[in-house]
């Protein structure tokens, strides 16, 4: 079976598995990787960029290498190849967990239980929940759903289309390392530099595809495009900016503004300033938009693989020699 079919069938099965099963409560492969990366960090940590780069290379490179070995081991069996791709896709995407956690916060807010919403918010993002009121929590959830649609779903599919199972696993490893050490705390400002920069690079194509698909499927394409073009560059993250701006425009809401991370207050620019303030009901709207974007991304990535194969076949089959229309 050709590689493009293996990816298409396997990725579709993996996304369906995530939809039906979600993430396991215990023994998730990403959690296992996180524990291994933590052990490597304890052995290597120094307040030095070089040590951080070594940590990134060992962890992300090791994960991608193991995935490549597994891919090679099953390459002669189409069924095993599809199964491996499905298992890897299920392991690295997190759309169902993202939706579940967002809805849990939304349900607490609907019930008027702000304290319960604050207790649940850290499952989605690293903001200080005690610094947020109900409206601030709702806005944080929508922003997290937007950003994680790229990080936890679309980006993985993009790199799976490019590199198969090693691409899926490698992207998720890089993204996990960024979450672990890529933030600007005193401990990780230098040590996490390589992970953060690699995550920016790996996330670039997925973020742009996520933003484009939010424009297409959000119901307000002109507003989404306008917000993307006008506001994405104002965001401190090169990848979160386009995604959050396009989601803001698609949903007709304002995102950004003042927020707090680890006791550090940040004043971020407003995205889609013409929109209204986020309401609790917008959490469900954001989750549904995220779902649509994820499935559309699968279609785009699988279609790109088939198109690349067809283009390669045409190129290999083109006549060689004199240019067309020229006689000898």
């Amino acid at each position: 079976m050709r590689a493009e079919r293996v990816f298409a069938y396997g990725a579709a099965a993996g996304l369906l598995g995530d939809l039906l099963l979600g993430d396991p409560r215990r023994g998730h492969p990403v959690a296992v990787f996180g524990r291994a990366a933590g052990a490597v960090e304890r052995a290597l940590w120094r307040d030095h960029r070089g040590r951080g780069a070594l940590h990134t290379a060992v962890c992300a490179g090791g994960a991608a290498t193991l995935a490549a070995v597994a891919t090679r081991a099953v390459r002669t069996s189409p069924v095993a190849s599809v199964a491996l791709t499905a298992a890897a896709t299920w392991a690295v995407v997190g759309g169902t967990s993202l939706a579940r956690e967002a809805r849990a916060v939304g349900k607490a807010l609907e019930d008027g239980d702000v304290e319960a919403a604050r207790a649940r918010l850290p499952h989605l993002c690293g903001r200080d929940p005690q610094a947020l009121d109900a409206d601030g929590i709702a806005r944080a959830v929508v922003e997290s759903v937007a950003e994680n649609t790229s990080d936890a779903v679309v980006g993985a599919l993009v790199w799976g289309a490019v590199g198969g199972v090693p691409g899926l696993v490698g992207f998720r490893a890089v993204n996990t390392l960024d979450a672990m050490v890529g933030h600007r705390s005193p401990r990780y400002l230098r040590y996490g530099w390589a992970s953060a920069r690699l995550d920016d690079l790996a996330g670039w194509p997925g973020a742009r595809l996520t933003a484009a698909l939010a424009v297409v499927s959000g119901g307000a394409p002109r507003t989404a495009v306008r917000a993307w073009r006008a506001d994405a560059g104002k965001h401190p993250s090169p990848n979160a900016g386009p995604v959050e701006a396009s989601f803001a425009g698609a949903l007709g809401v304002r995102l950004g503004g003042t927020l707090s991370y680890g006791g550090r207050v940040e004043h971020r620019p407003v995205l889609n300033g013409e929109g209204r303030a986020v309401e609790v009901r917008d959490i469900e709207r954001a989750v549904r938009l995220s779902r649509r974007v994820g499935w559309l991304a699968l279609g785009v990535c699988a279609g790109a693989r088939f198109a690349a194969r067809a283009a390669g076949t045409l190129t290999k089959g083109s006549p060689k020699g004199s240019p067309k229309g020229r006689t000898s």
Side-chain angles (χ1 to χ4, degrees):
M1 184 182 295
R2 290 174 175 171
E4 64 273 13
R5 293 183 181 273
V6 169
F7 171 74
Y9 299 157
L15 272 190
L16 185 60
D18 176 64
L19 178 65
L20 297 176
L21 303 175
D23 293 333
R25 299 295 182 181
R26 297 181 179 178
H28 195 289
V30 175
V32 173
F33 170 81
R35 289 194 292 271
V40 174
E41 178 191 341
R42 288 191 293 275
L44 290 179
W45 189 90
R46 296 289 186 279
D47 189 17
H48 190 273
R49 283 186 177 184
R51 285 296 189 108
L54 179 60
H55 175 239
T56 302
V58 169
C59 295
T65 299
L66 287 176
V69 170
T71 300
R72 184 174 179 81
V74 301
R75 70 187 186 283
T76 59
S77 171
V79 173
S81 296
V82 170
L84 178 63
T85 303
T89 302
W90 166 79
V92 304
V93 301
T96 294
S97 293
L98 175 64
R100 181 175 61 239
E101 295 299 336
R103 284 169 171 156
V105 177
K107 180 63 167 57
L109 292 175
E110 288 174 356
D111 294 341
D113 193 344
V114 178
E115 287 304 318
R118 286 184 179 130
R120 195 82 185 193
L121 186 62
H123 292 261
L124 273 173
C125 60
R127 298 184 191 180
D128 294 336
Q130 299 305 318
L132 298 172
D133 59 10
D135 291 341
I137 292 172
R139 192 192 78 199
V141 172
V142 171
E143 290 174 354
S144 183
V145 168
E147 184 174 0
N148 282 290
T149 300
S150 176
D151 289 343
V153 182
V154 179
L157 293 174
V158 167
W159 285 102
V162 172
V165 173
L168 286 164
V169 172
F171 174 80
R172 188 58 169 165
V174 170
N175 189 248
T176 302
L177 289 173
D178 178 61
M180 294 177 67
V181 304
H183 38 89
R184 295 183 178 181
S185 66
R187 176 178 174 85
Y188 295 122
L189 185 60
R190 282 180 284 272
Y191 187 83
W193 178 85
S195 290
R197 297 291 78 75
L198 183 58
D199 183 67
D200 286 344
L201 180 63
W204 196 94
R208 273 73 193 167
L209 179 58
T210 302
L213 294 178
V215 169
V216 170
S217 61
R222 291 184 179 179
T223 304
V225 169
R226 183 169 61 249
W228 181 1
R229 294 180 63 182
D231 300 329
K234 302 174 184 177
H235 198 286
S237 168
N239 295 330
V243 173
E244 291 185 19
S246 63
F247 262 66
L251 297 172
V253 300
R254 294 192 306 272
L255 299 179
T258 302
L259 49 85
S260 177
Y261 283 100
R264 185 182 72 254
V265 175
E266 293 185 13
H267 301 282
R268 292 186 177 177
V270 173
L271 308 176
N272 191 38
E274 298 178 357
R276 57 174 173 79
V278 175
E279 301 173 0
V280 176
R281 65 186 178 91
D282 294 315
I283 292 176
E284 180 62 28
R285 295 178 64 225
V287 168
R288 291 179 180 177
L289 177 57
S290 174
R291 285 288 193 197
R292 292 194 296 271
V293 167
W295 284 103
L296 284 172
L298 172 63
V300 170
C301 292
R305 284 297 306 261
F306 281 104
R309 173 75 183 190
T313 301
L314 289 174
T315 300
K316 291 179 181 179
S318 61
K320 298 180 180 179
S322 299
K324 184 177 179 180
R326 188 175 178 181
T327 59
S328 54

